[in-house]
Amino acid sequence: MSFLRINNIGKTFLGERKEEVIALSDLSFDCQDGEFLCIVGPTGCGKTTLLRLIAGLEQPSEGDIILADTVIQGLNREATLVFQQYSLFPWCNVIDNVCFSLEMKKIPKKTRYLEARKFINLVGLTGFEKALPYELSGGMQQRVAIARALAHNPKLLLLDEPFGALDERTRHRLQAKLLAVWQKERKTVVFVTHNIDEAIFLASRILIMRDRPGCINDEIKVDLARPRDRRSQGFLKLHIKIREVLEKILITNTNNQRGAL
Amino acid sequence: MIPIIIIAVWEFFAIQANNPALLPRVGDVISRLVHPFTDLLNTGSFVRHIIVSASRVVLGFILAAVIGIPLGLLVGRYLLFHRLFSPIIELLRPLCPIAWIPFAMAIFKTYTIADMFGAHYTTSIFGQIQLGMLYVIFYGGFFPIFLNTVHGVKSVKHLYIESALLLGADQKKLFKKVIFPSSLPSILTGLRVGLGISWMVIIAAEMLPGSDAGIGYLIIFSYELAEMDILIASMILIGAVGALLSYGVKVLADRTSIWQAKER
């Protein structure tokens, strides 16, 4: 039995005119313990919805999600989601943000500050403990958000395009940082992105989603040795391969639309 | 610049009118203001009247905050409370607090807090705090506080609530650690507006019969005796104290919610 199992899930929303919108349909995959899984796909294919379902923020219309042999019902207490938007509590400074989950567990202030400093150090933000979120750059805020998620010590770390709003240099730096953290903490990570390069750099395995309705189209194992060189033959080959799959999805969609018209 | 023009125009017309019972000279009003402890018309000094008015306002205002904030938090968060309280609140809201004054006077008469505790002949400040006045101040302060609190709770970003829940918060902690701090700037705005309205309402309430102290009473009494210098000095004091109260809440607000103005 795998660590995380997504079993034929479907998700249907009610649209504005009460019509049914199928976001996800018959979607299944497995994820091993300690795996770094990346999900790529065209915008609007339901990647974020999928993560929200795994986090238990929404419930699937069909199928079920099994984490460590338990079917998820309601909020998934074993998972933490790092949102695409900046989600730090603006009224708390960095250390209190990172501490939040420890405070919920009623850990005394001294112990939790000690613990939080470890994670702040891990994401390279020592010295910024007392800063308020608005004083930090976007990249720093996302690093704090990752530290906050790690401090919660979840079995499963879900990341929804956390570096989406950042420039390429910062993005690359944070990717390397995240990998280092993952190698050290050995968490299971599900990382959603629409950036192919990011997926190949990070993942042990990449799932490619298609849209209308959202489901898994392809699966690609990434066997390149870490740290991965973005200019290596293997990296570029994979890049082209994934690009081709995504383009094919796009073309089928356009054809389907023509057919519908 | 503008205050100087106003004072110049005032002084010009005062000299033209040459009638202190109509428009006193600037100097007369200032000479009243620089002696705040002098007894006026056998009713007590400016300081005494302001203390009486301010204690009424502060007490009524605290009452409004103590009831308005928790109720606002509940109504903003829970549909049940929303359904329970919204209709009555929407009905009462357009009813201006000043319209309540005669009613409150009729119901509470001149009953004071001191009377409530059986002390009928007292010189303490509580002998000056009439229940009817407390009621109208409470009414005036309640709505801005309550409505801003509701607004604050309703505009807490869903993202923060979901983050907190995923990080292990239960409903109680969610309230204390996310919903309350997130609504705090809005609550403080409500307090500031509420305090301003309370201060306006008390002046009106004190002008009605049944009061023998307070800055509003002093205004109406000096009007009856055509002591225009006292009347204008009182008006200036009302403005000054109101601005001071508002400033006090603003300082508090700025200190507790620096993050709000800077949030991107």
Side-chain angles (χ1 to χ4, degrees):
Chain A
M1 192 80 184
S2 50
F3 180 65
L4 172 69
R5 161 158 266 168
I6 312 293
N7 248 346
N8 308 92
I9 57 164
K11 179 70 183 174
T12 318
F13 291 107
L14 272 187
E16 273 172 34
R17 270 155 285 148
K18 299 273 176 201
E19 80 280 18
E20 286 201 338
V21 179
I22 302 168
L24 300 174
S25 163
D26 198 21
L27 187 150
S28 305
F29 66 85
D30 282 341
C31 181
Q32 303 306 319
D33 197 4
E35 196 174 15
F36 199 126
L37 191 69
C38 274
I39 300 175
V40 295
T43 32
C45 70
K47 293 175 299 215
T48 297
T49 306
L50 176 60
L51 279 197
R52 291 178 61 83
L53 289 171
I54 300 174
L57 290 171
E58 272 159 54
Q59 306 309 315
S61 318
E62 291 152 42
D64 42 25
I65 297 168
I66 300 160
L67 181 69
D69 298 330
T70 346
V71 177
I72 293 167
Q73 276 166 332
L75 207 65
N76 183 353
R77 295 281 181 189
E78 307 294 346
T80 307
L81 175 58
V82 176
F83 292 91
Q84 187 177 1
Q85 309 94 314
Y86 302 139
S87 63
L88 296 181
F89 304 125
W91 53 90
C92 289
N93 60 24
V94 166
I95 197 161
D96 283 328
N97 261 294
V98 175
C99 270
F100 190 85
S101 64
L102 305 172
E103 198 180 344
M104 296 303 113
K105 288 172 195 154
K106 297 198 172 77
I107 292 167
K109 196 166 182 169
K110 225 173 161 182
T111 328
R112 67 173 191 254
Y113 270 25
L114 216 65
E115 184 77 7
R117 271 177 224 282
K118 265 188 3 205
F119 289 103
I120 292 171
N121 186 35
L122 201 64
V123 296
L125 282 174
T126 303
F128 288 96
E129 287 87 350
K130 296 286 170 212
L132 283 166
Y134 75 83
E135 297 171 299
L136 304 177
S137 70
M140 288 158 103
Q141 290 195 38
Q142 284 307 63
R143 274 191 276 169
V144 177
I146 290 169
R148 181 173 73 174
L150 289 171
H152 184 39
N153 196 19
K155 286 183 184 156
L156 180 62
L157 187 59
L158 307 168
L159 298 122
D160 184 11
E161 299 197 36
F163 310 142
L166 307 176
D167 66 273
E168 198 173 355
R169 249 175 70 100
T170 319
R171 182 187 265 262
H172 286 179
R173 259 211 336 267
L174 291 193
Q175 286 165 1
K177 203 111 221 169
L178 179 65
L179 268 188
V181 170
W182 170 70
Q183 277 161 343
K184 189 157 175 277
E185 299 274 321
R186 279 290 148 194
K187 295 255 177 271
T188 308
V189 178
V190 179
F191 189 108
V192 158
T193 177
H194 63 256
N195 187 320
I196 303 173
D197 172 273
E198 184 166 68
I200 304 171
F201 187 77
L202 294 171
S204 338
R205 195 155 53 100
I206 300 174
L207 299 177
I208 304 173
M209 275 179 79
R210 50 164 303 133
D211 51 355
R212 293 174 233 207
C215 59
I216 304 294
N217 195 84
D218 256 295
E219 180 192 322
I220 290 169
K221 205 154 170 56
V222 187
D223 282 325
L224 306 170
R226 295 177 205 270
R228 289 172 184 160
D229 181 0
R230 290 191 158 83
R231 283 159 298 184
S232 70
Q233 276 301 313
F235 200 102
L236 293 172
K237 253 189 204 152
L238 266 181
H239 201 297
I240 293 165
K241 190 171 164 193
I242 295 171
R243 166 130 295 163
E244 277 171 358
V245 175
L246 284 172
E247 274 167 8
K248 214 178 278 168
I249 291 170
L250 219 69
I251 290 166
T252 0
N253 271 342
T254 333
N255 287 343
N256 283 349
Q257 273 172 0
R258 285 213 188 103
L261 287 172
Chain B
M1 191 62 202
I2 291 171
I4 296 171
I5 295 173
I6 292 173
I7 288 171
V9 171
W10 166 12
E11 186 70 357
F12 172 78
F13 281 109
I15 294 168
Q16 290 289 311
N18 194 21
N19 181 359
L22 189 61
L23 189 61
R25 297 278 298 269
V26 176
D28 295 342
V29 173
I30 291 173
S31 70
R32 288 291 187 186
L33 284 172
V34 294
H35 296 109
F37 294 100
T38 313
D39 181 71
L40 304 160
L41 316 169
N42 278 326
T43 64
S45 64
F46 279 131
V47 171
R48 175 170 178 268
H49 286 297
I50 283 184
I51 288 175
V52 168
S53 295
S55 345
R56 287 168 176 162
V57 165
V58 167
L59 215 64
F61 175 72
I62 289 174
L63 214 62
V66 163
I67 296 176
I69 295 173
L71 200 63
L73 290 172
L74 290 173
V75 169
R77 180 79 182 141
Y78 298 110
L79 203 60
L80 174 72
F81 283 89
H82 177 79
R83 289 200 176 130
L84 216 57
F85 286 98
S86 278
I88 182 77
I89 280 161
E90 284 308 310
L91 214 65
L92 287 176
R93 193 158 67 109
L95 187 48
C96 120
I98 294 174
W100 278 97
I101 297 174
F103 176 81
M105 295 295 169
I107 295 288
F108 295 108
K109 309 258 171 351
T110 54
Y111 221 59
T112 66
I113 291 198
D115 290 328
M116 266 173 72
F117 294 100
H120 294 293
Y121 302 99
T122 170
T123 50
S124 88
I125 196 76
F126 295 109
Q128 290 295 348
I129 302 181
Q130 284 82 356
L131 296 182
M133 290 190 185
L134 272 187
Y135 173 76
V136 292
I137 295 166
F138 164 79
Y139 187 89
F142 174 80
F143 285 97
I145 297 172
F146 170 80
L147 292 170
N148 276 286
T149 307
V150 172
H151 171 76
V153 173
K154 290 217 162 141
S155 32
V156 177
K157 278 195 197 163
H158 215 60
L159 192 62
Y160 299 148
I161 294 177
E162 288 186 339
S163 297
L165 288 175
L166 281 172
L167 291 168
D170 52 27
Q171 285 298 319
K172 206 176 116 195
K173 284 270 169 69
L174 185 69
F175 232 109
K176 199 174 140 199
K177 292 290 171 187
V178 177
I179 291 171
F180 183 72
S182 182
S183 346
L184 195 56
S186 188
I187 294 175
L188 288 165
T189 304
L191 289 176
R192 205 168 143 209
V193 176
L195 192 58
I197 292 183
S198 297
W199 187 239
M200 287 183 201
V201 172
I202 188 60
I203 305 299
E206 287 169 349
M207 287 186 183
L208 290 180
S211 172
D212 63 352
I215 200 84
Y217 166 76
L218 185 62
I219 282 192
I220 207 76
F221 192 59
S222 51
Y223 164 75
E224 280 160 4
L225 299 180
E227 298 279 356
M228 289 299 276
D229 50 344
I230 299 179
L231 191 147
I232 293 175
S234 305
M235 285 169 66
I236 292 172
L237 282 174
I238 290 170
V241 172
L244 205 71
L245 289 175
S246 172
Y247 179 75
V249 182
K250 190 179 179 309
V251 167
L252 190 77
D254 288 348
R255 276 180 47 177
T256 43
S257 50
I258 340 161
W259 58 269
Q260 206 224 4
K262 308 269 179 67
E263 198 192 359
R264 275 171 286 189

